[in-house]
Amino acid sequence: MLSIEGVSSGYGKILAVKDVNLLVEEGEIVVLLGANGAGKSTLLRTISGAMKPKSGSIIFKGQRIDGKKPHLIVKEGVVQVEEGRGILSRMSVKENLDMGAYLRSDKDGIMKDLERVFQKFPRLKERLNQNAGTLSGGEQQMLAIGRAMMANPKLLLMDEPSLGLSPNFVELIIRAIREFRDQDGYTILLVEQNAKKALDIADRGYILETGRIVLEGTAQDLLNNEELQRAYLGRDAKTRED
Amino acid sequence: MILFQQLINGLMLGATYSLVAIGYTLIFGVLGLLHFAHGEVLMAGAFMGLYIILWSGLPLYITLPLTMIATGILGLIVQFFAIRPIKKDYHLAPLLSTIGVTIILQHLAIKIFGGYGTRFPDAISTKIYKFGALTISSDSLLIFGIAVMLMLVLYFFIAKTKVGRAMRAVAESHLTAGFLGVNVDRIVLITFGVASALAGAAGVLVGIAFHTITPFMGLTFALKGLVVMLLGGLGNVVGAMIGGLILGLAEVSSVVLIPSEINLQDVFAFGIMILILIFKPEGLFGTRVSKR
């Protein structure tokens, strides 16, 4: 579904992502792991068109999307839940959800998806007219994910959705992601710090280190990989500050 | 009574300031840019209105929308050629470019219209209404009415329409707006068009109010619009609306309170600006603009 071939990308002359090859098949959850600054967010931003790759190509459903502007990539069905949630804090919860469906005009489909969002995250229905900036961190993450559902995505890019959330919310978000694959038919490329939890629900994974893919495999293989256990899953796993 | 009389004048004056400041604040909202040439767009609007009336004799209710369309297009041209191509990485570059546009527009106007005041034709027959000792001219009512109407339309546009919502999204974050499917470049362009149309309307209203327009009038309104934007809080449209009225009222009050031989109106206006900058830099109704 998504095929990244030899992509290098970065701001200015510094390449944060170097010659990356990555494949996401339809119906998969693929997890992208790596330390802080490994280039995970840069890669997602490059897929979404917020950054132009310096070289390589990105192919979605047989069509090149690299170099396209973000809104055209969204139109193709590639929707990103950005790091830090990207909530429009001066708008209401309802307006945020409406913005998710910005490119759509199928009223019935939008209504249906809104109901699905409320089913998944009933809390959002209670907060509908509240200013989104006043939501708690967990609620904001629900809103960010619900808003992405409103875009009717084919491929969902999620940049650290569990970051800074309480364990309860982490469980909720992880379950939602699993349901996206199993019930909603979304394909998911997930960037996570929480390697264990992510690999538990993922089909395959890639490890990014200073901009390069250093390891890839099925989620099971990665969970059992000793080196990886030491680096990401073990007791002395690096924990992230914020 | 004279104070009350002046209050009405203040509201009229203030409403034109509001129109200018709304444009400023819209553009600041979506680009984080101080659009210095905004006052010159007002000046251009005043002259366009003048010539539309002189040449075609069209009534105000047609002249005004025509002028707004013309200055709206002028705004699009300015954005497309002088702002969009400039890399945002160089902090002062876009600002300097708008200052360049300011000077170009002003000098073109001097070449075309002459560097002196031109009488603005009477767009409507002026009637004077008397309520006891109070006299109100139909001019001031009309100016205030039109300005308020435009502000209400704009408010509805921003609050309720899809494009308005997209403008607010872009004002919060270009990245997020793009990820939601908003064509950010187009929304920025539309914002310039809308802001410039409002400035054009303000230009015509100022022409009606002061009866004389000059190629140099832009700067005064650019600076006062700036004061109002600060007063209302950067990027805050409703703040700009109210802020304009406050500045207008404050200016005319200074005329009443201080003997008119010493013209301290502008000292007053910019004194207020400095006080705000010192004590309430986020503005009276401040939404703080987050920098990302």
Side-chain angles (χ1 to χ4, degrees):
Chain A
M1 184 178 231
L2 179 78
S3 158
I4 296 172
E5 293 164 10
V7 162
S8 298
S9 183
Y11 292 105
K13 283 185 180 153
I14 304 150
L15 290 180
V17 166
K18 296 160 199 155
D19 195 23
V20 161
N21 295 295
L22 187 149
L23 198 71
V24 182
E25 301 282 8
E26 189 154 0
E28 276 188 319
I29 295 178
V30 172
V31 64
L32 184 60
L33 299 171
N36 233 348
K40 300 173 309 239
S41 291
T42 302
L43 187 57
L44 286 201
R45 285 183 180 197
T46 307
I47 298 170
S48 273
M51 299 170 72
K52 272 193 185 132
K54 297 275 185 321
S55 60
S57 57
I58 301 171
I59 294 151
F60 178 70
K61 292 200 152 198
Q63 253 192 55
R64 278 188 77 153
I65 57 167
D66 51 281
K68 280 195 182 180
K69 291 209 173 160
H71 66 276
L72 295 175
I73 292 173
V74 174
K75 211 172 213 164
E76 297 293 326
V78 180
V79 177
Q80 176 158 179
V81 180
E82 70 187 90
E83 188 181 8
R85 298 157 200 142
I87 288 305
L88 299 165
S89 61
R90 299 205 288 267
M91 292 191 192
S92 69
V93 170
K94 177 68 168 63
E95 284 183 312
N96 268 275
L97 292 171
D98 286 345
M99 280 305 295
Y102 183 76
L103 288 176
R104 297 173 67 184
S105 49
D106 55 321
K107 280 215 165 105
D108 294 345
I110 295 174
M111 281 306 289
K112 251 186 225 155
D113 280 338
L114 192 62
E115 281 309 314
R116 285 176 51 230
V117 172
F118 291 154
Q119 252 172 25
K120 207 165 217 92
F121 305 118
R123 191 85 68 95
L124 292 180
K125 197 169 185 177
E126 296 161 27
R127 302 261 190 271
L128 206 54
N129 295 313
Q130 202 169 317
N131 206 310
T134 63
L135 298 182
S136 74
E139 290 167 345
Q140 287 194 0
Q141 189 61 64
M142 290 191 227
L143 178 56
I145 295 173
R147 193 175 62 182
M149 289 170 70
M150 295 302 292
N152 192 19
K154 296 189 181 89
L155 172 65
L156 198 55
L157 311 174
M158 306 182 86
D159 199 347
E160 308 219 15
S162 75
L163 187 66
L165 299 186
S166 67
N168 278 344
F169 272 121
V170 173
E171 284 307 321
L172 189 106
I173 299 295
I174 292 288
R175 190 173 349 120
I177 296 171
R178 191 203 306 253
E179 286 172 7
F180 280 154
R181 175 191 56 195
D182 298 341
Q183 294 167 17
D184 303 299
Y186 299 168
T187 303
I188 292 161
L189 177 57
L190 172 68
V191 161
E192 259 297 338
Q193 285 276 324
N194 200 330
K196 172 81 171 62
K197 283 227 153 45
L199 284 172
D200 277 343
I201 58 165
D203 298 292
R204 291 185 306 112
Y206 291 83
I207 316 294
L208 204 58
E209 235 168 59
T210 57
R212 290 182 195 281
I213 301 280
V214 291
L215 196 62
E216 61 176 281
T218 64
Q220 201 51 50
D221 286 348
L222 292 175
L223 275 170
N224 296 332
N225 185 297
E226 274 178 31
E227 203 181 327
L228 195 65
Q229 278 184 348
R230 200 162 20 95
Y232 297 99
L233 305 167
R235 283 179 171 273
D236 51 340
K238 284 181 207 160
T239 48
R240 188 169 170 166
E241 292 290 311
D242 57 353
Chain B
M1 224 24 160
I2 191 136
L3 183 68
F4 193 71
Q5 178 83 54
Q6 288 294 351
L7 287 184
I8 289 167
N9 290 338
L11 285 177
M12 176 194 82
L13 189 64
T16 59
Y17 293 158
S18 298
L19 286 181
V20 181
I22 289 167
Y24 255 131
T25 221
L26 284 176
I27 291 172
F28 188 88
V30 296
L31 275 190
L33 168 73
L34 200 57
H35 182 37
F36 212 73
H38 198 56
E40 305 312 316
V41 176
L42 175 144
M43 179 271 292
F47 277 98
M48 283 175 192
L50 180 143
Y51 279 98
I52 290 173
I53 293 173
L54 278 188
W55 286 344
S56 67
L58 286 168
L60 184 65
Y61 66 88
I62 299 177
T63 302
L64 191 76
L66 281 181
T67 307
M68 290 177 71
I69 291 169
T71 52
I73 292 170
L74 177 64
L76 301 184
I77 293 171
V78 168
Q79 201 274 336
F80 196 82
F81 289 105
I83 295 167
R84 182 185 290 199
I86 291 175
K87 292 226 171 67
K88 290 156 203 98
D89 321 7
Y90 303 95
H91 256 311
L92 280 174
L95 176 67
L96 289 175
S97 180
T98 69
I99 291 176
V101 172
T102 304
I103 292 167
I104 290 171
L105 288 178
Q106 197 185 82
H107 282 252
L108 283 177
I110 293 171
K111 264 276 175 285
I112 299 169
F113 308 118
Y116 40 80
T118 309
R119 201 187 132 65
F120 199 86
D122 295 321
I124 48 159
S125 52
T126 307
K127 284 197 197 102
I128 306 289
Y129 302 102
K130 280 196 192 293
F131 304 94
L134 198 68
T135 57
I136 303 172
S137 79
S138 52
D139 285 9
S140 4
L141 283 180
L142 187 81
I143 290 165
F144 186 68
I146 290 175
V148 169
M149 189 196 72
L150 288 173
M151 284 188 247
L152 289 177
V153 170
L154 180 86
Y155 182 82
F156 174 82
F157 173 70
I158 291 176
K160 298 290 175 201
T161 68
K162 197 169 182 179
V163 175
R165 216 184 287 135
M167 278 166 67
R168 284 184 287 144
V170 170
E172 286 209 42
S173 162
H174 284 205
L175 187 71
T176 301
F179 285 172
L180 292 171
V182 176
N183 185 344
V184 174
D185 286 342
R186 181 182 297 165
I187 292 296
V188 168
L189 194 64
I190 290 172
T191 305
F192 266 79
V194 171
S196 302
L198 289 177
V204 172
L205 297 183
V206 167
I208 297 171
F210 293 99
H211 307 294
T212 304
I213 58 176
T214 80
F216 307 106
M217 68 194 286
L219 183 66
T220 315
F221 283 91
L223 291 175
K224 291 205 173 146
L226 199 56
V227 175
V228 171
M229 178 167 81
L230 288 167
L231 197 65
L234 295 177
N236 183 339
V237 171
V238 176
M241 293 176 182
I242 302 169
L245 300 181
I246 292 178
L247 182 67
L249 290 174
E251 278 191 5
V252 293
S253 314
S254 77
V255 175
V256 176
L257 301 174
I258 304 164
S260 56
E261 302 87 69
I262 5 175
N263 184 354
L264 286 179
Q265 216 172 323
D266 287 353
V267 175
F268 214 74
F270 293 100
I272 289 178
M273 183 182 82
I274 292 172
L275 287 177
I276 295 167
L277 289 175
I278 296 171
F279 294 108
K280 226 168 168 339
E282 75 277 18
L284 295 182
F285 317 97
T287 36
R288 283 220 331 219
V289 178
S290 53
K291 276 263 155 251
R292 278 187 226 174

